[in-house]
Amino acid sequence: MNGGRLDRAAVALGAGGLLTFVFTFSDGAYRPYDFLQIQGVGLIVILALSAVGLLGGLLGKRLLVFVSGVAFAAATIIQLVQAGRSPNWLEGDGSTLSVLLALAAGLLAVGLAPRQTPPDRKEP
């Protein structure tokens, strides 16, 4: 990683996406801390795409971050169309949709942001 702000942002978004597995430990009883329902295929999609975004940030590869963002956007559209219906390929609800949308927006913003290269410093 070259240490750029955008690379660090991609790493943070990818790591945040990977941490969503914590919500799979819910018993489904809708407790006050149980505000996110992620399970099954939706969890696998989020973890896999988050890993791609994290890897893109670590390696400084803008294309990986962008691809991860596009894939999250596609998953968001799929979840939006299928929410509350059968079949629901991602097995999610509105909370799954919100996580997918947030990660898509963040990773796309990072992937599309212009990279500024520092000017060459010439010694006098």
Side-chain angles (χ1 to χ4, degrees):
M1 184 164 84
N2 66 8
R5 291 181 301 143
L6 295 174
D7 292 335
R8 289 191 303 269
V11 168
L13 287 164
L18 289 174
L19 287 175
T20 59
F21 83 91
V22 170
F23 296 102
T24 63
F25 300 124
S26 168
D27 60 2
Y30 296 102
R31 308 219 189 288
Y33 56 83
D34 197 14
F35 56 89
L36 186 58
Q37 300 290 315
I38 298 178
Q39 60 188 356
V41 176
L43 177 65
I44 293 168
V45 167
I46 290 173
L47 293 178
L49 296 178
S50 294
V52 171
L54 176 69
L55 185 64
L58 288 173
L59 298 176
K61 301 292 184 184
R62 182 178 182 180
L63 181 62
L64 282 178
V65 175
F66 178 73
V67 166
S68 177
V70 168
F72 268 118
T76 301
I77 292 168
I78 290 169
Q79 182 59 52
L80 178 63
V81 170
Q82 294 184 336
R85 296 191 176 126
S86 181
N88 187 346
W89 294 336
L90 298 178
E91 302 175 36
D93 59 3
S95 64
T96 309
L97 177 70
S98 65
V99 169
L100 292 169
L101 180 60
L103 291 169
L107 289 167
L108 281 173
V110 170
L112 291 173
R115 308 276 181 182
Q116 295 181 354
T117 57
D120 292 337
R121 294 188 178 178
K122 303 279 184 184
E123 303 253 349

